Amino acid sequence: MTNNLAALIEQLETQRTQALVAKDLATAERLHAPDYQLITPGGSSYDKAGYLQAVASGDLNYLGWQIESPQLRLAPTMALIRYRAALEFASGTVRCWHTDTYELRDGQWLAVWSQATAIK
């Protein structure tokens, strides 16, 4: 089960991040919990509605999102994935540590918290 769950969480994280890059808001909406929260490398905080609105409007315009060397911590109803990320914007690439918390809710794994810390 652990290998299957690890593969599923990695797949969901890839789907989630690529949906944000592609501005596929239907997929992003489905993969984020209603109480989702993001803390950015700059220390800003977004709730789900604010985050998806910022992506939709282009205020937060991801041009690419690379996941490098993911590591996972798994439990029956919670999973954490941490990796180095290269986030591409028009202004350049931001390298950061990215940690996401997923919870199993009503049979579906959803992103609940995201924390990004800039790598200097």
Side-chain angles (χ1 to χ4, degrees):
M1 174 189 148
T2 300
N3 287 342
N4 290 344
L5 180 54
L8 174 63
I9 296 300
E10 285 187 40
Q11 177 186 16
L12 288 173
E13 184 65 2
T14 298
Q15 286 178 348
R16 186 185 76 81
T17 58
Q18 294 311 301
L20 294 168
V21 171
K23 293 185 179 30
D24 176 354
L25 298 179
T27 298
E29 174 72 32
R30 181 175 48 81
L31 295 176
H32 291 85
D35 54 339
Y36 174 81
Q37 185 177 32
L38 165 67
I39 307 299
T40 69
S44 298
S45 176
Y46 287 96
D47 64 9
K48 177 181 178 176
Y51 185 43
L52 296 184
Q53 175 57 38
V55 170
S57 70
D59 288 343
L60 193 52
N61 189 18
Y62 298 109
L63 301 179
W65 189 314
Q66 302 302 315
I67 296 172
E68 303 168 6
S69 304
Q71 298 176 339
L72 290 98
R73 304 285 296 181
L74 304 171
T77 61
M78 184 176 283
L80 291 97
I81 183 169
R82 180 181 67 193
Y83 55 89
R84 288 185 186 151
L87 308 178
E88 298 171 38
F89 299 97
S91 60
T93 300
V94 174
R95 295 201 164 276
C96 60
W97 285 103
H98 211 281
T99 302
D100 293 285
T101 304
Y102 282 80
E103 290 181 7
L104 183 60
R105 297 184 178 179
D106 297 323
Q108 182 178 356
W109 286 94
L110 299 173
V112 178
W113 283 351
S114 295
Q115 168 78 48
T117 304
I119 298 173
K120 304 282 181 186

